[in-house]
Amino acid sequence: MSSQRIHTLDVTAQNLKSNARLSLKDQQLRTNMRSAMDSLISKRLISMPDEDERENLRELGNKIKASALSQLPDLLEQLESNLTKQGIQVHWASTTEEANAIVLNIAQARNAKQVIKGKSMVSEEMAMNEHLTEHGIEALESDMGEYIIQLDNEKPTHIIMPAIHKNAQQVGKLFESRLALPYTDDVDSLIQSARSILREKFFQADIGISGVNFAVAETGTLLLVENEGNGRMSTTVPPVHIAVTGIEKVVANLQDTVPLLSLLTRSALGQGITTYVNMISAPRQPDELDGPEEVHLVLLDNGRSQAFADSELRQTLNCIRCGACMNHCPVYTRIGGQAYGTVYPGPIGKIISPHLLGLENTPDHPSASSLCGACGEVCPVKIPIPALLRRLREENVKSPKQQPQIMAGQGSRYSNKEALLWKGWQAFNTKPLLYKTGTFLATRLGQFTPSKLGAWTQNHSAPKPAKRSLHELAKKHLEKKS
Amino acid sequence: MSAREKILASLRQSLEGTQPLADPFDASLVDKPWRYCPAERVTRLKELMTAVHSEVHLTRSAEWPQLLHELLTQRQINRLLTAPSTTHGQAFSAYCQIQDSSLKLLAYDRPIEEWKRELFDDVPASFTGTLAGIAATGTLVVQPSPAEPRLMSLVPPLHIALLKASQIYDNLYQAQQAWPRPMPSNLLLISGPSKTADIEQVLAYGAHGPKDLIVLLVEDA
């Protein structure tokens, strides 16, 4: 069984290449991923059959996010002011350490022992579970997929479907070994077992944690999207609710959530809407009988302001976390999400992770793409992911000393040899005498090109230079004409 | 410098010399493709909600209490959480009295802390009203209130909701125009019983919330 699991991977972002090689050999993983992604691709298309409707909405989604980002600091202040007025406490964190300290402070002030979590990718960025556990607080995931991978000490493989790399037999065996339940691969029974365990945890929890899909500045509303009801449980049953989110999740007006919601749920799962859309604008009011007494919002930067500083890279922050780019990515489908070693895998992961972790920690991510363009074509908010990947490749090979420094870890793939080679190439192509001599020699000595050229000739035949250069042919042609 | 000041200063510096982009919202893009005539609204809502495992019963103002009572009897449910202060709660309670029903009506009349165990373990069904319906997506708009608190539509395994046909909007955009402002402390869109596809994308109902959702759609109201 252990050979079918991939948490033997060294799950750090540094090892993308070696992780990818291991994952490619994992037949179970590849079968599970292929069938899941094929199904998600077709569901999305079925839910967006009218091309005009779809494309107009993507354009609108893009503009709404661009407009929100163009006034981001003002919207954040408006959001903070409205939430505060309505009784929700707002906290700011530049780093994940600061965010963890804020959460821990709230927990310790309430003497909390048990925390139940709805799905939140930002809490994954923070490694919040580990942090709380270190301080003696149990942090339990309640999203079915997150619960499964937490049981197996794994990291999410997909931002929407964290356990999509496992099949029902694997989950059945996991429940058998970790929860001492009789083995079954019947999905309904597995879900009902998890439901009854987690219901008790919701009942006991001192604090509920959630993410946020959209934060509305105009009304001071946190909007959460989900199918399972664990998000509603986490934000309603415990006496304290802490929402954690990135600073880019704010939109100006409540009506902006109409197109964004429709884009999000259809792009992610091919659903016209999720089972629950939960809009929270205040804690329990004096005349209300349930809901949390305290609601907190933690706004996390963690590298986002670095992406924000560059108008091209800023588009990375349009992302509404639907996962469509990974579902359509030929690389992601083959290697799975864990090989990336980052919280956000796939195409969006490759353009956001370098800002969160620095290029030095994600050196292979910008180039782990064939630039086929599928991600950009399906992105509901039209992030030009392939263009941003190429941009990051440039930042990745700039001299580490070159100013201005746009990215942390700039030039992590910089090599003197390569820089020199490009300088030579530049000289060759800009100095006519050098170019003419060079092409003359190459065409005349072409027959001496070796037939084995390392990695290139493993899959290709060796290149043979033409007998005459294009310049020579053109010259001859013109002479003949005259 | 606090994290707040640091983040805002950095964002402001990055925007120096730029102007906010105009509000690009275009209502026609979210409204026009999703319009229906009144009869279509009812059929579409019913069709979409049924497709995600909800039961939708078309009924009339004079008939729904009897229908509700029958549905509960069929399911052998003998305890129902209702809101006695609402019109629909009163109507059903009156019906039960006349029928001398053995159904026990429970009220959410004290803070959750005082009866959490009972709500989690001994309440098989709840009955609430709705603020509106949405035809485009097959959705109920539910506004929790002191009479019908947030957990009423979440914890019991069966949730029954009363929806007036006249309250069904074409789409989310239109429904949103009628929402109370300022926004209530909690507002919900509910489109079926709770579900998950987290294992192998196999759909399973009754993940964490209700396993069943029944909508009583009152056509003459």
Side-chain angles (χ1 to χ4, degrees), chain A residues 52-361:
Chain A
D52 284 344
E53 190 267 339
R54 178 179 74 224
E55 293 310 313
N56 288 336
L57 206 62
R58 287 178 69 221
E59 187 63 32
L60 179 61
N62 172 277
K63 285 190 178 146
I64 286 174
K65 286 298 294 189
S67 163
L69 291 174
S70 77
Q71 44 187 325
L72 184 59
D74 296 344
L75 291 183
L76 284 168
E77 281 185 324
Q78 189 190 358
L79 174 74
E80 180 189 41
S81 137
N82 282 332
L83 287 175
T84 310
K85 248 187 283 172
Q86 291 153 207
I88 295 180
Q89 302 174 49
V90 180
H91 312 260
W92 303 67
S94 291
T95 62
T96 56
E97 289 81 9
E98 287 175 18
N100 275 322
I102 291 165
V103 173
L104 185 66
N105 267 336
I106 299 169
Q108 287 174 338
R110 301 281 307 204
N111 203 16
K113 294 278 168 276
Q114 280 177 283
V115 165
I116 192 89
K117 289 180 67 203
K119 199 171 149 27
S120 153
M121 293 310 292
V122 168
S123 78
E124 295 282 348
E125 269 178 57
M126 296 160 60
M128 186 199 285
N129 294 356
E130 290 81 350
H131 186 77
L132 289 174
T133 312
E134 272 169 33
H135 289 83
I137 298 169
E138 179 192 83
L140 192 71
E141 298 288 348
S142 66
D143 172 88
M144 290 295 178
E146 292 275 353
Y147 178 64
I148 291 166
I149 57 164
Q150 190 182 28
L151 276 181
D152 213 3
N153 295 315
E154 284 188 294
K155 289 284 174 197
T157 198
H158 190 283
I159 61 170
I160 302 289
M161 307 201 127
I164 198 67
H165 58 294
K166 285 188 191 298
N167 62 23
Q169 289 81 22
Q170 290 169 306
V171 176
K173 288 191 177 158
L174 182 68
F175 279 22
E176 187 183 22
S177 70
R178 294 294 158 93
L179 303 173
L181 292 168
Y183 173 82
T184 172
D185 57 13
D186 175 61
V187 171
D188 265 321
S189 319
L190 290 167
I191 294 297
Q192 289 313 308
S193 301
R195 172 190 169 103
S196 65
I197 293 169
L198 289 167
R199 275 231 154 185
E200 202 48 34
K201 293 292 184 179
F202 285 121
F203 183 91
Q204 294 164 355
D206 304 302
I207 293 182
I209 307 257
S210 78
V212 174
N213 291 97
F214 304 110
V216 183
E218 173 202 22
T219 55
T221 301
L222 309 177
L223 185 147
L224 280 70
V225 173
E226 55 148 347
N227 280 316
E228 294 186 359
N230 67 311
R232 284 186 65 197
M233 283 283 200
S234 307
T235 60
T236 315
V237 179
V240 180
H241 166 211
I242 307 174
V244 292
T245 194
I247 50 172
E248 82 283 18
K249 287 286 175 71
V250 60
V251 294
N253 300 312
L254 190 61
Q255 64 185 12
D256 294 337
T257 62
V258 176
L260 292 176
L261 250 180
S262 177
L263 286 166
L264 172 62
T265 60
R266 288 193 285 167
S267 303
L269 298 158
Q271 283 180 241
I273 194 165
T274 46
T275 302
Y276 300 115
V277 176
N278 181 8
M279 288 164 275
I280 300 167
S281 305
R284 185 193 302 197
Q285 299 301 293
D287 58 349
E288 290 180 340
L289 301 174
D290 63 15
E293 298 149 13
E294 265 180 49
V295 179
H296 300 263
L297 174 69
V298 181
L299 291 166
L300 176 66
D301 180 347
N302 192 26
R304 289 164 173 83
S305 55
Q306 174 185 284
F308 188 82
D310 180 282
S311 59
E312 186 184 19
L313 298 171
R314 187 178 301 157
Q315 299 173 91
T316 311
L317 305 178
N318 283 357
C319 180
I320 55 173
R321 305 282 189 266
C322 71
C325 60
M326 45 197 86
N327 301 344
H328 291 76
C329 176
V331 176
Y332 173 84
T333 304
R334 282 165 182 79
I335 66 174
Q338 292 174 341
Y340 293 81
T342 47
V343 168
Y344 304 99
I348 183 63
K350 286 183 281 199
I351 61 168
I352 186 82
S353 306
H355 296 289
L356 307 188
L357 302 167
L359 273 169
E360 75 276 27
N361 292 313

Side-chain angles (χ1 to χ4, degrees), chain A residues 43 70 74 80 142 145 168 195 199-200 203 227-228 232 275 277-279 281 284 288-290, chain B residues 4 12 21 108 112-113 116-117 150-151 153 155 185-187 189 191 195-196 198 200-201 208-209:
Chain A
K43 279 184 193 162
S70 77
D74 296 344
E80 180 189 41
S142 66
R195 172 190 169 103
R199 275 231 154 185
E200 202 48 34
F203 183 91
N227 280 316
E228 294 186 359
R232 284 186 65 197
T275 302
V277 176
N278 181 8
M279 288 164 275
S281 305
R284 185 193 302 197
E288 290 180 340
L289 301 174
D290 63 15
Chain B
R4 180 182 188 278
R12 291 224 153 87
L21 299 174
Y108 201 144
I112 175 66
E113 289 75 17
K116 201 166 163 189
R117 191 80 265 175
R150 307 182 193 202
L151 292 175
S153 61
V155 175
S185 49
N186 190 208
L187 189 67
L189 306 182
S191 310
K195 64 174 183 278
T196 184
D198 272 1
E200 266 192 55
Q201 285 204 80
H208 292 290

Side-chain angles (χ1 to χ4, degrees), chain B residues 31-42:
Chain B
D31 183 15
K32 270 197 195 138
W34 312 100
R35 283 192 192 157
Y36 313 93
C37 69
E40 265 180 332
R41 278 181 214 143
V42 171

